[in-house]
């Protein structure tokens, strides 16, 4: 049970971003693809209606593709051409209308992009065969150095469009086996030692993500956060610690720790299931000046407060918490918890992490199926 005073002194503490812009609390809505863009990634009334209900200190959009070829799933939002600014303005506007700050998550999905968006050739760090969601084999071609530089520039151009549209924060998607993570992870990056993005050195593996932060930093004057995996089968958290330090040097203000298999059930994996790896990374990057965020299976107000206070050890405290599935089910969950704190009885998120919201996205749009109709 979290008492009202503790709730106010932790979760409802304002978060001042490096440019002085203030988020009203420490909970961010994690980037969540809603499968609700119109054809060609256009923002229409359906997605605007969905975002009108979400309440959080910062609302991070679902991943927006920065190049047409970099899409991995249907009905992603496009941020790949000048005419996208109009729709992005509506999106930032509706997020602001509830008092939240708006963050645009940017992605090029690399090897996991779908061939239909790239004229059949899928591009990633290295030549490889990749299973697509239907079980077919996709032949991935290694990007040339020029191509990687074009993608880096596409991140900067997309960030410019997002800021022109009114977004307050840029989040780079450096996790979940998409493009930027692929360059970091030797599973995907087998580029030779004489290549600037080589998979054989930590510098080469970090370069695509670090360059993307630098390019966005020089294009726009808003805070940049990066979502990274905290480990993988072939990456140790200690290596992510080195990456995290480089992201800070490049100009990121905050790193959010996720992981492979991001949508586990906290019943099986425990709440906050990336915490242990995240703590290893933090111990390496502790004096980088970064803010730290955590996502993955956080479900109860008690856990949120424990994470924000370090459970009594301020050196272990996180600055922000991200929630995804709980806010699909209850978009105003943070408001509910705040009201319940006033009467001394907070119930955990009702989300049971069944992931049927994802399945609904493939059929129509992402929504909570468990409590449909309530
Ligand atoms: C339907 C759905 C869509 C998602 N889309 C994204 C996305 O666009 N970008 C991203 O970084 N993570 C995405 N995620 C992962 C979430 O941001 C989050 O990392 C994960 O769900 C774990 O957090 P949770 O336990 O609070 O749901 C998605 C998750 C779900 C369920």
């Amino acid at each position: 049970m979290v008492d009202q005073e503790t709730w106010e002194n932790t979760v409802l503490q304002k978060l001042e971003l490096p440019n002085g812009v203030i988020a009203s609390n420490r909970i961010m809505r994690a980037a969540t693809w809603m499968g609700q863009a119109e054809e060609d990634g256009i923002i229409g009334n359906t997605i605007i209606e969905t975002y009108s209900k979400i309440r959080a200190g910062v609302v991070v959009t679902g991943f927006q593709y920065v190049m047409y070829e970099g899409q991995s799933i249907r009905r992603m939002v496009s941020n790949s051409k000048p005419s996208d600014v109009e729709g992005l303005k509506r999106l930032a506007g509706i997020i602001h209308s509830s008092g939240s700050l708006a963050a645009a998550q940017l992605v090029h999905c690399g090897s996991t992009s779908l061939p239909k968006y790239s004229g059949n050739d899928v591009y990633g760090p290295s030549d490889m065969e990749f299973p697509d969601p239907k079980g077919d084999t996709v032949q991935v071609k290694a990007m040339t150095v020029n191509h990687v530089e074009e993608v880096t520039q596409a991140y900067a151009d997309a960030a410019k469009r997002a800021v022109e549209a009114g977004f307050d924060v840029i989040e780079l998607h450096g996790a979940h086996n998409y493009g930027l993570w692929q360059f970091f992870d030797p599973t995907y990056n087998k580029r030779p030692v004489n290549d600037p993005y080589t998979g054989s050195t930590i510098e080469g593996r970090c370069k695509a993500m670090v360059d993307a932060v630098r390019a966005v930093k020089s294009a726009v004057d808003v805070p940049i956060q990066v979502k990274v995996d905290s480990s993988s089968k072939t990456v140790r958290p200690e290596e992510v610690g080195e990456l995290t330090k480089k992201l800070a040097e490049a100009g990121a203000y905050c790193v959010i720790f996720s992981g492979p298999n991001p949508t586990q059930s906290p019943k099986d994996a425990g709440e906050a299931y990336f915490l242990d790896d995240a703590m290893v990374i933090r111990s390496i990057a502790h004096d980088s000046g970064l803010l730290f965020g955590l996502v993955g299976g956080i479900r109860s107000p008690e856990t949120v407060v424990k994470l924000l206070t370090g459970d009594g050890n301020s050196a272990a405290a996180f600055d922000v918490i991200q929630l995804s599935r709980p806010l699909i089910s209850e978009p105003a969950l943070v408001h509910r918890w705040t009201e319940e704190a006033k009467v001394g009885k907070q119930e955990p998120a009702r989300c049971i992490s069944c992931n049927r919201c994802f399945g609904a996205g493939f059929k129509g749009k992402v929504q909570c199926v468990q409590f449909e109709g309530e």
Side-chain angles (χ1 to χ4, degrees):
M1 184 30 230
V2 179
D3 62 63
Q4 185 177 2
E5 194 185 344
T6 307
W7 188 255
E8 283 174 0
N9 291 335
T10 54
V11 177
L12 299 190
Q13 275 298 300
K14 292 186 172 36
L15 176 72
E16 184 170 348
L17 303 183
N19 58 351
V21 173
I22 292 181
S24 60
N25 64 62
R26 299 302 178 113
I27 298 189
M28 293 186 179
R29 183 265 197 168
T32 307
W33 160 79
M34 300 303 285
Q36 295 179 14
E38 309 296 321
E39 288 301 332
D40 278 336
I42 291 169
I43 290 163
N45 292 341
T46 310
I47 198 164
I48 292 295
E49 161 78 9
T50 295
Y51 275 85
S52 71
K53 298 180 184 143
I54 304 171
R55 303 276 180 279
V58 178
V59 172
V60 186
T61 68
F63 55 177
Q64 305 174 1
Y65 60 88
V66 300
M67 283 172 85
Y68 188 79
E69 66 177 28
Q71 300 176 64
S72 63
I73 200 165
R74 69 193 286 276
R75 294 194 187 268
M76 288 171 70
V77 164
S78 171
N79 183 344
S80 59
K81 53 188 186 312
S83 60
D84 291 331
V85 172
E86 202 184 322
L88 292 167
K89 270 188 190 158
R90 283 189 76 195
L91 193 53
I94 201 71
I95 293 171
H96 286 152
S97 69
S98 64
S100 310
L101 296 183
Q105 193 193 51
L106 306 180
V107 76
H108 183 298
C109 295
S111 311
T112 44
S113 305
L114 298 178
K116 70 171 177 177
Y117 297 116
S118 51
N120 268 342
D121 286 329
V122 168
Y123 294 97
S126 306
D127 290 331
M128 66 188 291
E129 290 190 340
F130 203 82
D132 80 358
K134 287 185 185 150
D136 297 332
T137 300
V138 175
Q139 193 62 51
V140 178
K141 288 188 179 172
M143 289 182 183
T144 61
V145 169
N146 270 351
H147 193 159
V148 186
E149 288 169 355
E150 275 170 32
V151 176
T152 305
Q153 185 58 44
Y155 277 106
D157 293 342
K160 269 192 209 159
R161 284 186 289 272
V163 171
E164 187 188 339
F167 280 89
D168 307 286
V169 175
I170 300 298
E171 180 173 294
L172 296 181
H173 198 340
H176 305 172
N177 296 332
Y178 292 120
L180 293 175
W181 177 264
Q182 290 163 12
F183 276 88
F184 184 62
D185 190 332
T187 302
Y188 300 89
N189 186 347
K190 304 191 185 305
R191 296 172 81 93
V193 73
N194 60 351
D195 184 280
Y197 303 93
T198 180
S200 334
T201 65
I202 193 86
E203 280 72 26
R205 289 164 51 195
C206 293
K207 184 171 166 55
M209 211 181 299
V210 165
D211 283 0
V213 172
R214 285 212 181 99
V216 170
K217 182 91 186 160
S218 54
V220 294
D221 194 16
V222 300
I224 304 164
Q225 57 192 49
V226 188
K227 184 173 181 178
V228 297
D229 282 350
S230 40
S231 68
S232 79
K233 276 190 189 144
T234 44
V235 175
R236 290 174 295 113
E238 287 80 1
E239 295 170 289
V240 184
E242 294 308 313
L243 169 68
T244 300
K245 287 197 289 189
K246 290 183 192 300
L247 296 174
E249 284 160 19
Y253 86 100
C254 177
V255 172
I256 312 287
F257 300 115
S258 182
N261 191 6
T263 54
Q264 300 171 50
S265 167
K267 257 196 186 159
D268 306 329
E271 266 197 278
Y273 39 72
F274 297 123
L275 179 60
D276 290 350
D277 279 352
M279 293 310 291
V280 174
I281 300 165
R282 289 192 47 167
S283 69
I284 293 163
H286 64 94
D287 57 1
S288 60
L290 284 167
L291 301 188
F292 294 114
L294 189 68
V295 65
I298 301 163
R299 294 293 178 270
S300 65
E302 290 82 2
T303 300
V304 171
V305 169
K306 261 189 195 170
L307 292 167
L308 289 173
T309 56
D311 203 10
N313 170 12
S314 59
F318 285 86
D319 302 285
V320 292
I321 296 305
Q322 287 197 343
L323 303 174
S324 168
R325 289 166 290 174
L327 300 196
I328 295 174
S329 186
E330 294 178 88
L333 173 63
V334 183
H335 178 72
R336 166 162 82 71
W337 277 343
T338 299
E339 290 304 303
E340 288 176 344
K342 292 178 189 163
V343 294
K345 191 175 185 323
Q346 287 175 313
E347 296 293 335
R350 71 179 188 175
C351 172
I352 59 164
S353 310
C354 62
N355 289 336
R356 285 158 70 202
C357 47
F358 232 127
F362 286 108
K363 291 189 207 129
K365 61 177 193 175
V366 170
Q367 59 187 333
C368 179
V369 177
Q370 180 70 15
F371 297 98
E372 200 177 19
E374 285 192 5

